[in-house]
């Protein structure tokens, strides 16, 4: 009988060890090993996002799914930080371009100009010309809608004329028939 008790205790210890091993095996990582590289992915992610790539684009470039990119954002803070910094830089570039378009800007252009000489010959010379790009009304509207909410509750072509006082509006004069005829003849 004593031998039986020892056998049962010994079997119980083996059972406990087997259970511990099974628990360790179940907590081990399952599935495919990650393709994330902490030396590569954060740096390249910043560069790609600063060029305007989205999460779906990143997934395509890294040959993973978009949920995997979202998981990397959660598990790897450096990856998430670089992704966010890159997207902020891209958004800033677009905001700057929209601002320039809304306010107008100047650009240097290379062109060729004709230079006349005293002997009536014409020479073509390269030159840089400063050209003014005028402000764009649609870009102004987009900028104001997004930054101030000015157009939030109005239609596309309604700018809120009711807010402008009648006295501040320019007065238009009508041309009489004599003036209209003179202008028509002068053309």
């Amino acid at each position: 009988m004593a031998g039986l008790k020892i056998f049962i205790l010994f079997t119980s210890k083996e059972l406990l060890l087997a259970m511990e091993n099974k628990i360790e095996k179940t907590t081990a990582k399952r599935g495919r090993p990650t393709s994330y590289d902490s030396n590569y992915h954060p740096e390249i992610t910043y560069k790609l996002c600063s060029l305007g790539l989205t999460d779906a684009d990143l997934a395509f470039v890294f040959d993973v799914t978009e949920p995997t990119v979202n998981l990397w954002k959660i598990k790897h803070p450096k990856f998430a930080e670089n992704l966010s910094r890159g997207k902020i830089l891209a958004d800033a570039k677009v905001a700057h371009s929209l601002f320039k378009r809304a306010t107008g800007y100047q650009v240097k252009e290379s062109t060729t100009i004709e230079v006349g000489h005293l002997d009536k010959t014409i020479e073509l010379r390269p030159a840089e010309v400063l050209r003014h790009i005028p402000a764009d009304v649609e870009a102004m509207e987009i900028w104001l809608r997004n930054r101030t909410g000015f157009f939030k509750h109005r239609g596309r072509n309604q700018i809120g004329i009711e807010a402008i006082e009648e006295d501040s509006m320019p007065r238009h004069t009508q041309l009489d028939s004599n003036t209209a005829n003179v202008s028509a003849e002068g053309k």
Side-chain angles (χ1 to χ4, degrees):
M1 188 89 154
L4 185 60
K5 286 183 182 177
I6 293 172
F7 177 73
I8 293 173
L9 288 175
F10 184 70
T11 311
S12 317
K13 284 184 180 179
E14 282 182 342
L15 184 61
L16 286 173
L17 284 172
M19 288 176 67
E20 286 176 9
N21 285 339
K22 188 167 188 161
I23 290 171
E24 287 177 14
K25 286 180 183 177
T26 57
T27 58
K29 293 184 180 179
R30 291 181 177 205
R32 182 177 169 188
T34 183
S35 61
Y36 181 82
D37 181 357
S38 61
N39 295 323
Y40 170 74
H41 284 96
E43 183 179 336
I44 196 72
T45 297
Y46 172 74
K47 291 175 182 177
L48 292 173
C49 287
S50 68
L51 294 173
L53 270 68
T54 63
D55 289 358
D57 297 330
L58 287 175
F60 178 78
V61 169
F62 296 142
D63 196 27
V64 296
T65 62
E66 194 171 351
T68 300
V69 171
N70 292 330
L71 185 64
W72 288 354
K73 287 192 277 187
I74 295 167
K75 284 189 171 185
H76 306 285
K78 184 78 172 169
F79 178 80
E81 177 188 341
N82 283 357
L83 184 134
S84 178
R85 284 180 44 232
K87 286 183 176 183
I88 288 170
L89 180 61
D91 292 346
K93 288 177 187 176
V94 172
H96 178 69
S97 297
L98 179 62
F99 178 78
K100 282 177 51 177
R101 183 72 182 174
T103 58
Y105 58 99
Q106 293 182 345
V107 62
K108 285 184 182 179
E109 290 184 343
S110 297
T111 187
T112 306
I113 58 171
E114 294 179 353
V115 178
H117 296 285
L118 294 174
D119 61 355
K120 299 194 182 197
T121 59
I122 297 175
E123 179 184 356
L124 298 176
R125 289 189 186 168
E128 282 192 352
V129 178
L130 195 59
R131 184 173 143 211
H132 177 73
I133 308 295
D136 180 27
V137 175
E138 287 185 42
M140 290 177 201
E141 184 179 329
I142 292 168
W143 181 266
L144 289 172
R145 182 183 310 118
N146 291 324
R147 295 280 291 211
T148 65
F150 182 76
F151 293 97
K152 197 171 242 167
H153 299 293
R154 295 181 173 92
R156 176 170 156 68
N157 294 323
Q158 295 175 329
I159 302 180
I161 301 298
E162 67 277 354
I164 301 173
E165 294 180 14
E166 205 170 301
D167 294 333
S168 66
M169 293 180 69
R171 302 199 189 280
H172 299 285
T173 56
Q174 290 186 338
L175 296 175
D176 61 312
S177 59
N178 293 335
T179 311
N181 289 336
V182 169
S183 353
E185 289 172 9
K187 287 187 177 179

